[in-house]
Amino acid sequence: MTSITEPVAIPVITVDGPGGVGKGTVARWISKRLMFNRLDSGALYRLAAIAALDRGIGPDAADRIAALCHGLSINFGEDADGHERITLDSIDVTQRLRLEATGEVASHLSVWPAVRNALLQRQRNFRQRPGLVADGRDMGTVVFTDARLKLFLDADVRARALRRQRQLSESGIAARIDDLCVQIAARDARDRNRIVAPLRAANDAITIDTSNLSVAEVEERVETLLAVHGFT
Ligand code: DC
């Protein structure tokens, strides 16, 4: 009798959710915990936004942005202190990448199917041994539908606005909570209501509401899920 052995798929954990919910913190923690590679897919959309802005291309020029995406030379690295360093065509864009204005443009251009398709294979290329943790909006629903563990983080708008206010004040920037709530709600609406790959939990995702949880409490829950799913 012959036995056919299937190649063992490289394991993927997806972490989806709206902006400001703490996906990056959780994904970074999992990737350190399991020594997995990490894909910050939002950063790819933000890099596309920077590339388009620098060339004077508006966020509605879907085909031109898609063409740009195919040619982007991107590097995700860390400096000596372990802080992320992201370069676009060899230029350090780490700080620009995190600006609210960059996120806004990224959210606009990400509604176009041509742009999403242009970034699809690039995202899948991050699936390398020993495993991958990928965070974004559609990691579990589109990009890695066969992920072994899918998490969906959620939190109410006010909780996310408070976190954002704290982050901004650490950088010396004052912001009003009501203004932040309006901004966050507008971005949510765009990400959730677009036709292609809208933000939503995959049917097989486990949702964690982080509104009233500390980072340590979220990590504790994820630790349990990692064990249940055979990662530890
Ligand atoms: O997570 P972030 O704030 O870095 O993402 C910026 C924008 O990019 C977000 O508003 C929508 C888009 N995005 C997306 O459409 N799909 C993803 N997987 C990740 C981000």
Side-chain angles (χ1 to χ4, degrees):
M1 206 174 85
T2 51
S3 76
I4 301 166
T5 34
E6 291 278 332
V8 180
I10 297 172
V12 178
I13 298 174
T14 57
V15 185
D16 286 308
V21 78
K23 298 184 300 281
T25 306
V26 170
R28 219 171 295 120
W29 180 81
I30 298 174
S31 79
K32 290 225 163 77
R33 174 82 180 81
L34 301 178
M35 310 260 274
F36 274 15
N37 300 295
R38 177 177 171 223
L39 164 63
D40 170 1
S41 61
L44 291 180
Y45 287 93
R46 286 169 181 264
L47 286 162
I50 292 176
L53 282 166
D54 285 355
R55 289 163 181 80
I57 301 175
D60 290 331
D63 291 339
R64 290 184 71 195
I65 299 171
L68 250 182
C69 286
H70 287 296
L72 296 180
S73 162
I74 296 169
N75 185 263
F76 289 92
E78 283 189 354
D79 65 16
D81 299 326
H83 298 124
E84 71 171 3
R85 282 280 154 242
I86 299 175
T87 63
L88 176 62
D89 298 325
S90 307
I91 296 167
D92 188 338
V93 291
T94 316
Q95 293 204 332
R96 253 185 103 188
L97 198 77
R98 297 298 161 206
L99 296 177
E100 195 53 39
T102 307
E104 272 298 305
V105 177
S107 170
H108 266 109
L109 58 77
S110 67
V111 303
W112 302 116
V115 175
R116 306 199 69 83
N117 281 333
L119 291 175
L120 192 59
Q121 193 54 48
R122 208 182 257 271
Q123 295 176 77
R124 291 188 174 146
N125 291 344
F126 279 77
R127 188 170 192 165
Q128 305 277 341
R129 289 190 192 288
L132 175 70
V133 49
D135 65 278
R137 305 287 188 289
D138 61 341
M139 298 297 98
T141 50
V142 176
V143 183
F144 301 108
T145 49
D146 64 336
R148 229 164 85 190
L149 172 61
K150 297 181 184 180
L151 302 175
F152 189 84
L153 301 189
D154 215 344
D156 56 52
V157 170
R158 204 173 166 78
R160 288 185 280 143
L162 283 166
R163 284 178 202 159
R164 182 80 186 129
Q165 191 184 44
R166 212 173 309 132
Q167 275 172 359
L168 288 170
S169 89
E170 280 163 16
S171 320
I173 302 166
R176 290 180 30 184
I177 221 53
D178 290 348
D179 294 342
L180 291 174
C181 283
V182 170
Q183 263 177 29
I184 290 172
R187 174 101 74 93
D188 274 7
R190 197 180 309 117
D191 292 349
R192 285 184 205 269
N193 297 326
R194 66 184 178 216
I195 307 288
V196 180
L199 167 65
R200 67 169 182 84
N203 293 335
D204 48 350
I206 297 164
T207 297
I208 303 176
D209 189 325
T210 70
S211 306
N212 300 307
L213 297 179
S214 66
V215 173
E217 286 168 330
V218 176
E219 287 170 359
E220 207 175 292
R221 288 181 194 208
V222 175
E223 179 75 51
T224 307
L225 292 171
L226 292 180
V228 170
H229 287 79
F231 284 100
T232 56

